[in-house]
């Protein structure tokens, strides 16, 4: 038990004072866990506080409209998680009479909650004997025990989960899970870990074998798909034309601008793009390139060009899912981070 006791002792001294650590309310812990799957603690904390302020209970979350949830989520990416959260809140109201479950098995029945989230919520809210294995835990275990199995391969994931379960500190599983996660975040960091002052350095296999920088092992990711968006910015009478994105592609239910996607990147106003724009905006229309931005998603690399359109003629009925909004209304609409960046810098 030396490994576990050392982690618990370290945690008692070094743990951060985080807002979700002052409660065992499963709803609040659920909020924090889903948000922190998207980003680091320092970036995720303001989002957590905004969500908790807007929706202090799961009932408030369930009653919210999707647009307000997506707006609060803006900038985190993976918007499907925000929609899953909304569905989860409604499910808790409908199936559990508004009482957020704490059982690992019941949590797995909720939309968007997998084994990791179920283990974390049940462990932190009810002391369930479930090992919580996130990226920090993978790193600590891989280095301390010298495990070479890839952490993103099924065999490796199973191996790490079995080991984590064996190491679980049964007198207080929730405290131990917090300790090893925090240790990975602050001490056994991915870059520049504090090995010289690490309380586990005497028995750390990676340190002994000079392989700290090589562990944990990850299989290479598949190459990202490149996509090229050409956005058209139409402004008239202090209103701007926006498009509501539907299901079937990225950024579902968010708002961007009328767009033509091309197979290749354009250096500027290529003839075929001009012809396509004329067909949409009329023969007297003209385009000027405002800027070009790149945006990286998990599996896609987006290159977006933004064209200002002048002298356009628009029959709104011919524009699928488009509408005119004021610039104030535009600011209130949920947008992809790429679009929000353009608006903030250029509008």
């Amino acid at each position: 038990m030396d490994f576990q006791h050392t982690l618990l002792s370290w945690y008692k001294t070094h743990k951060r004072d985080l807002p979700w650590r002052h409660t065992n309310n499963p709803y609040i812990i659920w909020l924090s866990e889903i948000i922190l799957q998207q980003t680091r603690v320092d970036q995720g904390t303001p989002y957590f506080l905004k969500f908790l302020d807007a929706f202090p209970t799961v009932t408030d979350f369930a009653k919210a409209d999707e647009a307000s949830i997506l707006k609060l989520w803006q900038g985190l990416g993976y918007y499907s998680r925000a929609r899953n959260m909304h569905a989860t809140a409604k499910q808790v109201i409908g199936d559990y009479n508004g009482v957020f479950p704490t059982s690992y098995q019941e949590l797995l029945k909720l939309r968007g909650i997998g084994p990791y989230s179920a283990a974390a919520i049940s462990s932190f809210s009810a002391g369930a004997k479930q090992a919580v294995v996130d990226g920090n835990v993978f790193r600590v275990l891989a280095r301390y025990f010298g495990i070479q199995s890839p952490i993103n391969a099924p065999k490796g994931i199973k191996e790490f989960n079995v080991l984590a379960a064996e190491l679980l500190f049964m007198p207080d599983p929730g405290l131990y899970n917090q300790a090893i996660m925090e240790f990975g975040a602050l001490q056994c960091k991915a870059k520049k870990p504090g090995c010289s002052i690490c309380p586990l350095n005497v028995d750390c296999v990676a340190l002994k074998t000079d392989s700290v920088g090589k562990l944990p092992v990850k299989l290479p990711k598949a190459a990202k798909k490149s996509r090229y968006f050409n956005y058209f910015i139409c402004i008239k009478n202090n209103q701007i034309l926006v498009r509501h994105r539907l299901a079937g592609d990225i950024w579902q239910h968010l708002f961007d601008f009328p767009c033509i996607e091309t197979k290749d990147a354009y250096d500027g106003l290529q003839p075929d793009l001009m012809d396509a724009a004329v067909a949409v905006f009329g023969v007297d229309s003209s385009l000027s390139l405002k800027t070009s931005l790149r945006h990286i998603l998990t599996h896609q690399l987006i290159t977006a060009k933004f064209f200002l359109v002048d002298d356009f003629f628009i029959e709104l009925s011919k524009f699928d899912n488009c509408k005119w909004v004021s610039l104030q209304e535009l600011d209130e609409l949920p947008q992809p981070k790429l679009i929000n960046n353009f608006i903030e810098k250029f509008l």
Side-chain angles (χ1 to χ4, degrees), residues 154-171:
K155 181 180 178 182
I157 293 172
K158 181 178 180 180
E159 181 179 348
F160 278 95
N161 276 284
V162 169
L163 175 60
E166 292 174 351
L167 293 170
L168 194 61
F169 185 73
M170 291 306 180

Side-chain angles (χ1 to χ4, degrees), residues 20 26-39 48 73 81 85 113 116-122 124 132 134 178 181:
W20 48 87
Y27 166 70
I28 295 176
I29 294 169
W30 167 73
L31 276 181
S32 70
E33 285 301 321
I34 303 301
I35 290 172
L36 293 179
Q37 288 177 31
Q38 294 297 113
T39 187
F48 166 80
W73 189 266
R81 282 184 174 162
M85 290 174 76
I113 294 184
Y116 164 78
S117 297
I121 298 167
S122 62
F124 301 151
V132 182
D134 70 347
Q178 293 275 19
M181 293 168 70

Side-chain angles (χ1 to χ4, degrees), residues 242-258:
V242 297
R243 176 181 64 161
H244 190 204
R245 298 182 65 90
L246 301 182
D249 199 359
I250 58 173
W251 304 329
Q252 177 179 326
H253 297 170
L254 303 187
F255 286 84
D256 58 2
F257 304 112

Side-chain angles (χ1 to χ4, degrees), residues 27-28 30-31 47-73 82 85-86 89:
Y27 166 70
I28 295 176
W30 167 73
L31 276 181
Y47 281 94
F48 166 80
L49 294 174
K50 285 192 298 183
F51 265 89
L52 190 58
D53 182 61
F55 315 119
T57 69
V58 69
T59 301
D60 296 316
F61 203 117
K63 290 181 178 179
D65 61 278
E66 184 179 274
S68 64
I69 293 171
L70 293 175
K71 185 63 178 178
L72 284 178
W73 189 266
M85 290 174 76
H86 198 199

Side-chain angles (χ1 to χ4, degrees), residues 130-151:
Q130 295 289 337
V132 182
V133 186
D134 70 347
N136 293 312
V137 176
F138 275 124
R139 187 164 57 254
V140 173
L141 297 182
R143 288 173 174 172
Y144 185 80
F145 293 98
I147 303 173
Q148 299 289 331
S149 301
I151 64 173

Side-chain angles (χ1 to χ4, degrees), residues 192-208:
K192 298 181 180 180
C195 296
S196 62
I197 57 172
C198 176
L200 295 173
N201 59 14
V202 173
D203 296 312
C204 178
V205 174
L207 188 59
K208 290 179 179 179

Side-chain angles (χ1 to χ4, degrees), residues 268-294:
L269 298 174
Q270 299 292 332
D272 50 349
L273 182 60
M274 283 292 295
D275 291 343
V278 166
V280 174
F281 301 108
V283 295
D284 295 326
S285 62
S286 62
L287 305 180
S288 58
L289 179 62
K290 185 70 174 177
T291 190
S292 178
L293 299 175
R294 285 161 60 93

Side-chain angles (χ1 to χ4, degrees), residues 16 136 139-140 180-190:
R16 291 169 289 185
N136 293 312
R139 187 164 57 254
V140 173
I180 190 171
M181 293 168 70
E182 190 80 332
F183 189 83
L186 301 182
Q187 183 71 45
C188 192
K189 298 184 290 187

